[in-house]
Amino acid sequence: MSATTGHTPTAEGTAQVRSMLAGAHAGRKRVDTTMTVLIWGAFVLAMVPLVSLLWTVTSNGIGRISMDFLTLSARNIFGGDPSGGIYHAIMGTLIITALATVISVPIGVLAAVYLVEYGRGALARSVTFFVDVMTGIPSIVAGLFAVALFTLILGPAARFGLIGAVALSVLMIPVVVRSCEEMLKLVPNELREASYALGVPKWLTVVKVVLRTSVAGLTTGVLLAVARVIGETAPLLVAVGVTDSINTNPVDGRMMTLPVYAYRQYSQGLATCPGGESATCVPDIAIQNAWGAALVLIVLVLLLNIIGRLVNRWFAPKLR
């Protein structure tokens, strides 16, 4: 007799229960297999354009990479001349991006700290609203804003690296604010409360506890923001201009950047070689230069992402 129901289970009933369980298991297995196939299919579809992009840029640009290409400028290089390189564009990209980072990171981190730790009421809602609006600003608008600002101060002929850095900072600040805000929200409130219980002021708690705990996430967010703006072309074309010479002074004279260099080279198309292709005249050298610059730019972005991963691994809070 069954202790709970008072009935003795029959062999027919037991077989029926087993059949129902087996049917349900088979149905779950089919659903699981179907969803697994769909997820892997979506992953493959997402990877196809990325792999295609990397393969196209690498296959077209790797042949142009050389020590001369990376260490020489394009000064006095005309037509199909295969000499010269992109050193001036690399230096311009690094300098302008570094200046934009110096401008954006303090503003973005402080704004994120305000929104998470202090922001209440209408002011906090206004800051959040304007950050959201800035996130959708077209890059060309940021360039025109920077040009208009410096034109009012220095005149219409002003074109130098600092203007481009200001334009990029307009694009960087909302990304830094949003990423840092999310990282600060991940810090457990128990850590803040423990610090307050020890009599530590709020500002010191933010500096010593909150920021130190989230330093890995903050650094990763900043590097992702840098990777976001390092490939911008339109604002730099408007705000910085172009040059074929090496210029490392961001407040005096025009500068070249990798995305602008790639755009200009590709737009030149094929060169005319009177005697046909030779060692001193290559008709498609400008297109090769564009692919080479694009490959170098992708490598820079890849290095930034690797650095972000390493920082996240080294400085992330260790769980015991």
Side-chain angles (χ1 to χ4, degrees):
M1 297 288 291
S2 173
T4 58
T5 63
H7 299 285
T8 302
T10 62
E12 181 180 355
T14 302
Q16 185 177 4
V17 171
R18 289 179 178 176
S19 176
M20 293 174 61
L21 293 176
H25 177 71
R28 288 196 299 268
K29 189 174 182 180
R30 285 194 298 270
V31 173
D32 181 71
T33 302
T34 303
M35 295 307 299
T36 301
V37 171
L38 290 176
I39 291 173
W40 274 103
F43 170 75
V44 171
L45 288 177
M47 291 297 295
V48 166
L50 176 61
V51 173
S52 175
L53 171 66
L54 293 176
W55 172 256
T56 302
V57 175
T58 302
S59 60
N60 286 281
I62 193 65
R64 187 67 180 112
I65 302 299
S66 65
M67 187 57 63
D68 288 343
F69 186 69
L70 298 176
T71 58
L72 298 177
S73 70
R75 184 177 178 84
N76 298 325
I77 303 299
F78 304 100
D81 189 351
S83 57
I86 59 172
Y87 179 76
H88 61 306
I90 295 176
M91 292 304 299
T93 297
L94 295 179
I95 292 172
I96 293 175
T97 306
L99 282 175
T101 304
V102 170
I103 297 171
S104 304
V105 171
I107 298 175
V109 172
L110 291 176
V113 169
Y114 168 76
L115 291 175
V116 175
E117 303 294 334
Y118 298 95
R120 299 291 184 275
L123 181 58
R125 290 194 297 270
S126 299
V127 172
T128 302
F129 171 75
F130 284 113
V131 168
D132 292 337
V133 171
M134 290 178 64
T135 304
I137 290 179
S139 59
I140 186 65
V141 175
L144 292 174
F145 162 76
V147 171
L149 175 63
F150 280 87
T151 297
L152 293 175
I153 301 173
L154 302 175
R159 293 293 186 279
F160 45 85
L162 182 59
I163 303 179
V166 172
L168 293 185
S169 67
V170 174
L171 302 174
M172 275 189 67
I173 288 174
V175 179
V176 174
V177 172
R178 275 298 176 213
S179 59
C180 293
E181 184 181 0
E182 295 302 320
M183 292 300 106
L184 294 176
K185 287 179 179 178
L186 294 178
V187 178
N189 283 328
E190 289 78 4
L191 295 178
R192 299 179 175 89
E193 294 170 357
S195 179
Y196 298 152
L198 295 174
V200 180
K202 185 169 185 176
W203 70 269
L204 192 58
T205 299
V206 172
V207 174
K208 294 293 186 179
V209 177
V210 178
L211 292 180
R212 182 169 294 182
T213 303
S214 58
V215 63
L218 297 179
T219 305
T220 302
V222 169
L223 291 177
L224 290 177
V226 172
R228 153 74 174 82
V229 302
I230 197 173
E232 289 292 346
T233 305
L236 298 181
L237 186 62
V238 173
V240 183
V242 297
T243 182
D244 294 329
S245 303
I246 299 173
N247 179 21
T248 57
N249 188 349
V251 295
D252 183 20
R254 299 174 180 240
M255 302 179 72
M256 180 64 82
T257 57
L258 284 171
V260 175
Y261 176 87
Y263 165 74
R264 290 191 71 232
Q265 290 292 312
Y266 197 84
S267 63
Q268 289 181 11
L270 299 177
T272 301
C273 295
E277 183 175 353
S278 63
T280 59
C281 185
V282 180
D284 64 341
I285 191 60
I287 297 177
Q288 294 183 33
N289 289 337
W291 284 114
L295 179 59
V296 172
L297 187 60
I298 288 179
V299 171
L300 289 178
V301 175
L302 178 63
L303 290 176
L304 287 175
N305 283 274
I306 292 175
I307 293 173
R309 292 298 182 92
L310 294 177
V311 169
N312 190 36
R313 173 175 294 184
W314 290 336
F315 294 100
K318 301 299 186 294
L319 300 177
R320 296 179 180 231

